[in-house]
Each structure stands twice: as structure tokens, then as C-alpha cells.
Amino acid sequence: MNKQCPPFAGLIAHHPGPCPVRGHGDEFHIATSVQGLPATEYFKVSGIRHCAEQSGGLCSFWMGEQLALYQMDNRALFNDEDLAPSTDANHELFGGFLGSLHISDPLRSQKRRAVEHVLGSQRFIDSIKDDIRRLAAVFLHQCPRTPMCMEKLTLLWVSQVDSYLPGILDCTIKSLDQYLQDDQFRDVVSGFFEQASKVISHDDRLALKQHEALKPFIKDLLLTNFDAIEQAPLTNLILGHFALWALPFTRKNIENLSTERALEIGTIIIATYDTTALSLLWSLAYIETSAHVKREVLLAASDSCTQAPNVIDLAVMEALRLGGSNPTALWRRTLKPCEIEHAGQRVLVPEDTQLWLDRWQANRDPHIFTQPEAFDVTHILALQKKDDTAHALCTSLLARNRYDINSFSMLNTRRNPRKCPGRLFSVNIQGLLLRELYGRFEVSSEGIDLSLRRHCAMPKPAQPGVLTLRPKHCGDQSDG
Ligand code: HEM
């Protein structure tokens, strides 16, 4: 294609970028991988976002040799089958993980079911709610009464609760929070999603080098916790994966586990706590920096508020809109020419085009959210449609066919068949942990900076701040 001519002349605006030959390719790399800007900020400072804003939400640009389309709203423009798998670019890191399989791959549906029939089932989640609250309280009562780093707190809290919840991971002999504090494994385990995100959000192929590093951790985790996992309820995700592979759960089979399978189950295990922990960090950070919402949260956590939807769940959803735990902008690739509709016209997008969704910006769409940058739970209430019951508003918003907020998809595709199967669990557990926290403790915090951290592909607050807890009632420690 001739780079001097706009690729979609008269249909989609084009941003030429600083270099007539490589477009934005080199600048993007320098800005994200060297200077550490989040991808969404590159799109802003480079002028790509402004160009799209002027042109109904889309614009094209060259990312080096590759034609790219930038999108800044949450419309579903493509069919999933026309796109390469979501984690195609970093599949080496994820082994047999379903995100790296084409949507038509017959193995995908079984793999997805192995997670979705547990974490996507409201009935199952309801059955473990008391356990979640009990385990949340156990952790909080063990916490020191001195200021704690909020990022570390949320990570250890979620990983400990997930380890002990019956029928999820059942790593009760050496729990994940212990691994996260273990010198041998700490770096590889806590850095895994960051590496993966660098490949896909910063287009940084060097990050792929890490791919074998997870295997020794997974083997150690499964062998050490063998007796507990072997006796776990059948919903256990690890047992579910061994069943999927038609492999008896034995020590010998764990010893001989292929890299492909070790990375697959490793991805699932880390996804279970790591994504929720980061999301919870945003929820806490936003609640703590918003006096008005915090007051309502305290009221709701005291059980004297029976209003539906509960403000704690709304706050979790609103924090997912503004923060969340997938990179600020992500891309997938077209496998064949695809026709899309834009500004009332049909446009043919060629094969091998990078499709970038700036979800950070799309979740701040001023056409949808009245004060896009503000943490305001009425934004979530305003998304309520005729058929949504107030009680189940958050669940409705998480449905596959809802595109109002993107935090659980790479791109929004029609019918969103890849939308995260852990989303219902993740949102529910955050609400329950926050209820325990604000119901039982006086919470104070300082030093939170909500702007985006530099040199980080996952979206994190620049300063997570510190949290101090004081029990509300003396003697309340006994149920911990
Ligand atoms: C706030 C928490 C979470 C966020 C923000 C999140 C985000 C995402 C995103 C953006 C995707 C990509 C979807 C796509 O390909 O378009 C995804 C997929 C996936 N997530 Fe999550 N996730 C979260 C929690 C979880 C949990 C708790 C699990 C538990 C195992 C999980 C397991 C998965 C799996 C298995 C996929 C692949 C789905 C597929 O390809 O069909 N996630 N998630």
C-alpha cells in the first residue's frame, strides 16, 4: 500500500505520524517502551486521539509496516471469527490458554466451559459467599494496625482468599500469598501479567523472553498443594483442567506436565487473583479519595442500607470503568478483509490490519458518561435499561451483549464470545471484600495518586497509597 495516500480516503481520517515511512511505529515504541507512557497517553499526545475525535471515533495510522485502525469508543465493529485470537501476539507466554485459540477451534469451548461453569455461575458464587466473607475477615484481622501499602494489601488479600475458597484453587497447604512473598518465585509470579501486557499493549516483543519462567512455579504449587487439591470439590479449576486434558491428577503427571499445559493452568491461576487484586486496588483507591462515595459505602457496609443496587457494587463497576485491570489500549489483527460501517458508510478494512481499542478513553466517552473523569456511581445507574432490574443491574451490565463499559474484552466484537468468563466472580468477590473491610474497620488512607503509573503496561495508580485499619468493635476479633 502506498503510504503517501490515506488508506481510507474520504471514509476514515488518517493520522500520518512523525515519519513518512514508518508512521507512528518508532515513536510509539520510544514513548511506551523507553519513556514508559501508557499506550492511551501516546494516542493522546501524538494527536491520534484528536484525529479520531474529529472523525466519529476512528482513525487510521501506520504502526511501522502495519496498517492500524484506532478506535476510541466501545462499539462492536467486527466479528470475532474474522480476527486473530486475542493473545495471538503473546501466545508463547500463555501455552495452551484458550485466549490464543481461534474462535472456531473445537477445543476452545471446552476450555472456556472449565472456567465459566464455575466462576460464571451466580448460583456457585452465591454458595461460597459466606466463605468469601469469612476468609476476608480472617485476613483483615491478621493485618497490622500500622499503615500498609494498598497495592500489596489487595494482592495478598485476594490471593489468600482465592487460595482457601473451597472449589476454586484449594491451595491451602502453601497459599498463593505465601508464594507471592517467597524469594524464589515472587518476581516471576507477580510480573507475569505485566510481561504479557507489555507485548500486546506496548508492542514490545522482548518481553516474550520470560515464557518458560512460570513452569517451575506451577509445578511447585501443584506438588506442594497436591493433597489439598486432590480432595477439593469437583469445581476446582485445577482438577477441571486435568479432566479437560484427560490426565489423572497424580504427582507423576504433574512432574511430567508439558510447558504448554503448565503455562495454560498457570495463566488461569494467576488470572484468578491478579486481575481481581488490581481491580480491587482501583476500587479502594477511588472510594478512599471520594468522601461522598465513602460515606455511602460505609452506610451500605453497616447493613442498615438495603437499597438495590448496592452502592458498593456500583462503586466496583465505576472503578472498573475508570481503572480496571487490562491494559489501557490493546489490539487484535484482521485475518481477512472485513467490511465495517462507519459514519453511515461501508468501509473495507484490509487483511492484517492492527485494530487498536483505546478502552481507557472509550470508558470515558462523553456521549455516555456525563462527567467522564469523575468517580460517580450515578454513571452506572444511568446505564440501567428498561429490562434491567435495579437488583441485578451490575450483572446485566456484565452480560456479553453489553458494551457500555469495556474492561473484560480486548476488542468489543459482535456477541463478544471471548468476554472474560471470570468477570461475575471478580465483581462479586470485590463487593464482598469491601463490605467486610468497611463493615468491620475504620479505614483511613493517605498518599493515593490516581494518575496512571509510568513504565507499567497494566494500568496502576501512580501512587497506590497506604491504608490503616482500626477494628470498629472491641471483641469483634473472635470471628476472624
Ligand atoms: C477484574 C478482573 C478481570 C479483568 C479486568 C479481566 C479481563 C479480561 C480480558 C480483557 C480478557 C480478554 C477477553 C478477550 O479476549 O477479548 C479476559 C479473558 C479471560 N479471562 Fe479475565 N479478567 C478478570 C478476571 C478474571 C478471572 C477472575 C479469571 C479466572 C480464571 C479470568 C479468566 C479469563 C479467561 C480464561 C479469559 C479467556 C476468555 C476467552 O478467551 O474466551 N479473568 N479477561
Side-chain angles (χ1 to χ4, degrees):
M1 202 180 276
N2 178 1
K3 289 192 178 167
Q4 307 311 316
C5 306
F8 305 101
L11 297 169
I12 298 176
H14 182 71
H15 196 280
C19 172
V21 182
R22 294 191 37 82
H24 286 269
D26 299 335
E27 286 294 309
F28 180 83
H29 177 75
I30 292 168
T32 55
S33 299
V34 182
Q35 295 165 354
L37 279 194
T40 184
E41 288 193 18
Y42 177 78
F43 290 125
K44 182 179 171 189
V45 297
S46 63
I48 289 181
R49 187 203 290 179
H50 181 70
C51 180
E53 229 160 30
Q54 305 299 304
S55 167
L58 281 186
C59 88
S60 62
F61 63 99
W62 286 100
M63 183 69 102
E65 294 310 310
Q66 201 146 23
L67 177 62
L69 209 57
Y70 168 85
Q71 184 181 357
M72 53 175 290
D73 58 39
N74 277 330
R75 281 175 301 159
L77 295 173
F78 293 87
N79 293 323
D80 206 288
E81 55 266 33
D82 297 341
L83 308 181
S86 295
T87 48
D88 195 40
N90 52 4
H91 68 272
E92 288 100 316
L93 288 169
F94 293 137
F97 179 60
L98 70 160
S100 308
L101 300 178
H102 186 263
I103 201 72
S104 63
D105 190 313
L107 278 178
R108 249 195 68 84
S109 52
Q110 299 168 34
K111 293 192 180 205
R112 192 170 162 104
R113 215 175 307 124
V115 178
E116 202 163 36
H117 89 283
V118 182
L119 302 185
S121 156
Q122 191 64 56
R123 188 190 296 190
F124 173 74
I125 297 168
D126 287 344
S127 75
I128 56 167
K129 275 187 172 170
D130 289 345
D131 288 310
I132 297 176
R133 293 189 72 149
R134 175 180 57 79
L135 291 165
V138 169
F139 178 89
L140 292 172
H141 284 304
Q142 290 164 350
C143 285
R145 300 292 167 247
T146 47
M148 290 169 287
C149 168
M150 269 172 52
E151 188 170 351
K152 190 168 172 198
L153 173 90
T154 51
L155 184 62
L156 297 182
W157 193 15
V158 174
S159 57
Q160 189 180 99
V161 172
D162 279 353
S163 299
Y164 286 94
L165 275 175
I168 304 239
L169 297 174
D170 303 281
C171 294
T172 54
I173 298 171
K174 181 169 176 182
S175 54
L176 287 155
D177 53 302
Q178 287 177 292
Y179 277 97
L180 285 163
Q181 296 177 90
D182 180 322
D183 286 346
Q184 192 187 348
F185 297 112
R186 187 178 46 215
D187 291 343
V188 55
V189 183
S190 59
F192 181 64
F193 272 12
E194 177 60 20
Q195 292 299 330
S197 302
K198 270 195 184 137
V199 183
I200 191 106
S201 187
H202 289 179
D203 224 5
D204 178 3
R205 308 280 309 165
L206 283 176
L208 285 176
K209 275 190 178 160
Q210 278 274 340
H211 83 284
E212 281 265 358
L214 201 62
K215 194 171 168 181
F217 156 68
I218 291 304
K219 283 196 173 181
D220 195 277
L221 178 82
L222 300 188
L223 287 171
T224 308
N225 286 293
F226 182 81
D227 290 341
I229 298 170
E230 196 189 24
Q231 289 165 27
L234 283 178
T235 51
N236 177 283
L237 295 176
I238 298 163
L239 293 179
H241 277 77
F242 274 77
L244 190 74
W245 302 325
L247 203 61
F249 186 70
T250 62
R251 289 184 187 276
K252 189 160 174 241
N253 283 337
I254 296 172
E255 295 280 8
N256 295 331
L257 207 58
S258 66
T259 303
E260 182 88 349
R261 286 177 171 166
L263 294 179
E264 177 176 4
I265 191 63
T267 303
I268 297 288
I269 292 169
I270 297 179
T272 305
Y273 67 85
D274 195 79
T275 49
T276 303
L278 177 53
S279 200
L280 181 66
L281 174 62
W282 282 110
S283 301
L284 254 179
Y286 274 109
I287 292 171
E288 282 299 309
T289 49
S290 164
H292 171 66
V293 179
K294 185 169 174 182
R295 256 195 312 277
E296 289 186 36
V297 164
L298 284 171
L299 196 66
S302 71
D303 275 342
S304 58
C305 168
T306 52
Q307 216 175 336
N310 189 295
V311 69
I312 299 178
D313 298 330
L314 295 177
V316 170
M317 291 301 294
E318 177 66 346
L320 267 163
R321 176 181 81 81
L322 288 168
S325 47
N326 55 324
T328 58
L330 287 165
W331 60 272
R332 287 179 67 185
R333 189 170 55 82
T334 51
L335 289 174
K336 57 179 186 186
C338 304
E339 200 175 74
I340 60 165
E341 249 195 65
H342 178 62
Q345 289 181 291
R346 292 188 177 278
V347 184
L348 197 64
V349 178
E351 180 183 334
D352 205 26
T353 303
Q354 269 189 354
L355 308 171
W356 280 88
L357 174 64
D358 185 342
R359 73 142 192 117
W360 197 258
Q361 192 51 37
N363 283 353
R364 288 161 169 76
D365 188 336
H367 300 106
I368 300 179
F369 304 103
T370 46
Q371 291 188 73
E373 292 294 340
F375 179 66
D376 180 350
V377 297
T378 63
H379 283 140
I380 306 298
L381 286 173
L383 297 174
Q384 187 165 356
K385 290 190 176 161
K386 231 180 27 252
D387 298 341
D388 298 335
T389 60
H391 187 68
L393 173 60
C394 295
T395 312
S396 305
L397 287 173
L398 291 172
R400 281 200 201 174
N401 62 353
R402 291 296 290 263
Y403 301 97
D404 322 64
I405 295 172
N406 177 322
S407 290
F408 290 111
S409 302
M410 299 253 297
L411 289 193
N412 293 308
T413 54
R414 293 193 190 97
R415 292 176 287 106
N416 247 343
R418 292 179 188 264
K419 195 165 184 173
C420 173
R423 62 195 188 278
L424 199 61
F425 172 73
S426 182
V427 167
N428 272 263
I429 193 173
Q430 287 184 63
L432 293 165
L433 298 188
L434 291 169
R435 252 177 219 110
E436 285 305 305
L437 176 73
Y438 287 105
R440 290 173 184 263
F441 291 87
E442 306 277 358
V443 180
S444 59
S445 61
E446 57 182 352
I448 300 167
D449 176 350
L450 293 166
S451 57
L452 273 172
R453 191 178 301 175
R454 295 284 180 266
H455 293 286
C456 213
M458 286 294 259
K460 295 190 176 171
Q463 294 295 336
V466 292
L467 207 68
T468 308
L469 307 183
R470 281 202 318 273
K472 279 186 177 167
H473 311 292
C474 306
D476 165 271
Q477 313 268 346
S478 57
D479 50 356

